[in-house]
Amino acid sequence: MAAKLQPLAQRLIVQLGSIHYLVRNRIEFELPGNTPSPVTSPAPAVIITLDSTPISLAAIHEKFTQFKAADDVYSDAFNTGGYLIVQHPCNQFTGTLPTDVKEYLNGSSTKLLTLDETLPEGPYFVLGNHLHQAWRLHPDVLSAFAVAVLPDDVNASSMSRSHSVEKYQAFQNAAFTDAAAAVSVPVPSRLYYQKTSEQPFAGLRVAIKDNMHLAGIVTGLGSRAYAELYGKKDVTSQYVSSLEKKGAVIVGKTKLSAFAGSEVPPNQCIDYFPPWNARGDGYQGPSGSSSGAAAVMGGYPWIDVSLCTDSKNRLISDFLRADIL
């Protein structure tokens, strides 16, 4: 029986250029034993699939161009000093490479691996001979999130993983020194996901208001006393779970007025610092109970959907204040 792959015991944060990344604890794949120069610190890697196309410099650059247009996690920094992993090239076993490809690999200090696998394309990190996903850390400069979250599935085998997350864990990180960014929000590469009829929301990044439950995460309702009394939840709200099953990725929970009530930020907020308004200089009032959800949609292009709730038409006011409607 093959030995079980052990996930990373602690979180690793890597900076490539000016961008911070989380090396996801979960092991996605164990590279072959003949992997050149296994590394003891995370090295960037990019997986491309050529589907029986010969390895050529033009094909490699075409993939990189597609990735940059489609994804905010991938960057050119992944192309230097690490690994280029090519799946299904037709010249996989010939051992011959075009001269310009050899020159590119040497010039970028990149090692080439070929695999006959169907791993998702995109940016990764290699540690030892293990492949880990790269999640970009976005700073919450608007202070809109109550908590950022990660799926608590590091022990799930690749064969048993599904889009429905049974449990989450809170993510707190001090990679950013900006006092306004007390929370950083990890997001996966969009390249890891392919939409299907069963998974029409695959890879859709969703923030939810903190009056909805996530298993393993405290529901705060904007109240410190409520959060301390009830603690972590055991189940995920049914509507949120239905989005997960369709492929959505829940990245965090947004702030709200206490108990989604009449408390109006910023001057009436007691238990937390309210979100900044995404408009203008940020000092305009963010309005009512869905102020965090509105700030996220108004200020963060890396979030696709922000779930919120409405009472007494406060939702419309919140989104008008954020210059969304």
Side-chain angles (χ1 to χ4, degrees), residues 49-120:
T49 301
L50 294 184
D51 287 330
S52 300
T53 300
I55 297 177
S56 69
L57 191 59
I60 293 171
H61 283 163
E62 182 179 1
K63 283 289 185 179
F64 291 166
T65 300
Q66 293 172 359
F67 290 175
K68 289 178 68 174
D71 188 37
D72 61 332
V73 177
Y74 169 82
S75 73
D76 288 335
F78 280 90
N79 304 335
T80 302
Y83 294 84
L84 175 61
I85 302 173
V86 182
Q87 298 183 129
H88 308 299
C90 69
N91 55 344
Q92 178 174 357
F93 302 107
T94 64
T96 60
L97 287 174
T99 301
D100 56 355
V101 173
K102 293 180 181 179
E103 292 175 349
Y104 163 75
L105 295 173
N106 291 332
S108 60
S109 301
T110 299
K111 304 175 182 67
L112 176 68
L113 298 177
T114 57
L115 294 177
D116 188 19
E117 299 290 338
T118 55
L119 300 171

Side-chain angles (χ1 to χ4, degrees), residues 30 43-44 53 81 90 123 126 178 181 191 203 217 223 250 258 273 285 300 303 311:
E30 186 171 19
T53 300
C90 69
V126 172
D178 186 342
L191 302 170
I217 302 298
S223 167
I250 311 301
F273 188 86
Y300 296 156
I303 293 290
S311 59

Side-chain angles (χ1 to χ4, degrees), residues 6 116 120 142 144 147 291 295 304-306:
Q6 296 298 319
D116 188 19
L142 295 175
V147 62
S291 55
D304 300 312
V305 175
S306 185

Side-chain angles (χ1 to χ4, degrees), residues 213-274:
H213 298 329
L214 284 179
I217 302 298
V218 173
T219 297
L221 280 176
S223 167
R224 184 172 61 179
Y226 181 91
E228 291 177 352
L229 179 62
Y230 291 100
K232 296 179 180 179
K233 298 301 177 181
D234 296 325
V235 297
T236 295
S237 295
Q238 184 176 358
Y239 181 70
V240 177
S241 181
S242 70
L243 294 178
E244 292 175 343
K245 292 175 182 177
K246 294 183 181 297
V249 179
I250 311 301
V251 300
K253 306 182 77 176
T254 56
K255 293 177 179 177
L256 70 158
S257 299
F259 301 103
S262 58
E263 177 183 86
V264 179
N267 59 314
Q268 294 182 13
C269 291
I270 303 300
D271 286 355
Y272 65 93
F273 188 86

